[in-house]
């Protein structure tokens, strides 16, 4: 925590500077407000930039490319990594954490949290290794810790749904079923784009950026936001 303190202090300074610049430029900032279609149209805008982000979903979006569109839901035993970390769901027993190809911190972090809670955890991913998008230096420390806690890694694995306590998987091209108490989806988010499509055709110039297009990284959102601002 102490090591993070200087970073947090610098980040706070950056946000304070940004806030001052926004007010200096006379930007009308409205916080704590939900925005509906009629709210936007009432402003009669010439241009609307949608940056409404994305949200967790129990659907493994990244597996669409493998033909997995709407997998069976497991009678309430399928949840998301964020529901687990926010303590809205408490998977216990045998748990399969599904990385849908994102291969980032989300899947390994929730897997470790479930291991620490006493679960028997398998981390399934269609990629060659778990945490494939995480840097090598981080994984050099993380993997030994996960394996010491008893994680089971299942690479080249495609999740196809859960029914009657059985999880259907395709492992290295072979279909199989495994017993499990829970499935936790820890992959790409779905775009929160309903307002964008509600406004489409009703606003002269409508642009969407960041995760409103597709769940990616902060750098993508910053770049697209910069491009949208410069094009205004």
């Amino acid at each position: 925590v102490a090591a993070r303190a200087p970073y947090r202090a610098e980040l706070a300074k950056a946000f304070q500077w940004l806030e001052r610049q926004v007010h200096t430029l006379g930007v009308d900032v409205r916080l704590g407000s939900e925005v509906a279609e009629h709210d936007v149209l009432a402003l009669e805008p010439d241009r609307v930039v949608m940056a409404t982000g994305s949200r967790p979903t129990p659907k493994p979006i990244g597996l669409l490319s493998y033909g997995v569109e709407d997998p069976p839901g497991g009678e309430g035993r399928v949840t998301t990594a964020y529901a687990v970390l926010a303590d809205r769901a408490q998977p216990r027993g045998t748990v399969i954490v599904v990385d849908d190809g994102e291969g980032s911190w989300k899947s390994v972090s929730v897997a470790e949290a479930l291991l620490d809670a006493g679960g028997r955890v398998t981390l399934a991913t269609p990629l060659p290794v778990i945490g494939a998008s995480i840097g090598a230096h981080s994984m050099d420390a993380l993997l030994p810790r996960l394996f010491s806690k008893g994680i089971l890694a299942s690479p080249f694995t495609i999740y196809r749904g859960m029914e009657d306590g059985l999880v259907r998987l395709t492992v290295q091209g072979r279909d199989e079923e495994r017993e499990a108490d829970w499935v936790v989806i820890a992959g790409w988010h779905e775009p929160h784009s309903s307002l964008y499509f509600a406004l489409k055709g009703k606003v002269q110039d409508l642009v969407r950026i960041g995760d409103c297009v597709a769940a990616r990284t902060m750098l993508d959102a910053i770049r697209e936001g910069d491009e949208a601002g410069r094009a205004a």
Side-chain angles (χ1 to χ4, degrees):
V1 174
R4 296 193 190 103
Y7 169 77
R8 288 176 176 171
E10 290 302 316
L11 191 61
K13 289 180 182 177
F15 279 121
Q16 290 169 1
W17 177 86
L18 179 61
E19 185 177 8
R20 287 196 300 270
Q21 293 301 310
V22 166
H23 287 295
T24 299
L25 294 170
V27 178
D28 181 4
V29 179
R30 305 182 186 185
L31 303 177
S33 303
E34 290 191 15
V35 181
E37 176 188 350
H38 64 271
D39 296 315
V40 177
L41 296 177
L43 296 172
E44 299 182 351
D46 297 314
R47 191 168 209 246
V48 174
V49 179
M50 301 294 302
T52 47
S54 61
R55 54 191 172 191
T57 173
K59 298 178 181 180
I61 291 178
L63 298 182
L64 285 170
S65 60
Y66 296 91
V68 180
E69 294 188 18
D70 191 17
E75 300 82 42
R77 294 289 180 169
V78 178
T79 188
T80 67
Y82 278 87
V84 175
L85 298 175
D87 209 28
R88 295 195 302 271
Q90 298 178 333
R92 294 295 182 264
T94 301
V95 184
I96 295 181
V97 175
V98 175
D99 164 35
D100 63 359
E102 184 189 41
S104 193
W105 287 100
K106 199 179 304 168
S107 57
V108 295
S109 296
V110 75
E112 184 169 23
L114 292 169
L115 286 166
D116 291 341
R120 299 178 296 279
V121 181
T122 297
L123 178 47
T125 177
L127 303 173
V129 294
I130 61 175
S133 298
I134 300 174
H137 292 297
S138 295
M139 290 306 292
D140 284 346
L142 178 60
L143 278 178
R145 190 170 77 236
L146 289 174
F147 287 127
S148 71
K149 294 180 179 182
I151 196 169
L152 296 176
S154 185
F156 298 110
T157 300
I158 300 168
Y159 167 75
R160 298 194 178 277
M162 180 183 187
E163 289 183 292
D164 301 323
L166 293 175
V167 179
R168 294 194 291 112
L169 304 168
T170 300
V171 184
Q172 298 183 22
R174 298 187 300 273
D175 293 335
E176 61 177 68
E177 293 181 338
R178 298 183 188 178
E179 293 184 356
D181 299 303
W182 283 85
V183 167
V184 177
I185 305 297
W188 297 105
H189 290 183
E190 64 178 353
H192 190 14
S193 55
S194 57
L195 182 57
Y196 168 82
F197 286 107
L199 292 170
K200 197 170 184 180
K202 300 176 184 177
V203 174
Q204 180 178 352
D205 188 1
L206 180 65
V207 179
R208 55 176 171 162
I209 64 173
D211 279 16
C212 186
V213 180
R216 290 158 296 154
T217 69
M218 184 186 298
L219 295 178
D220 294 302
I222 293 172
R223 174 180 54 79
E224 291 171 0
D226 180 71
E227 291 174 351
R230 292 177 184 276

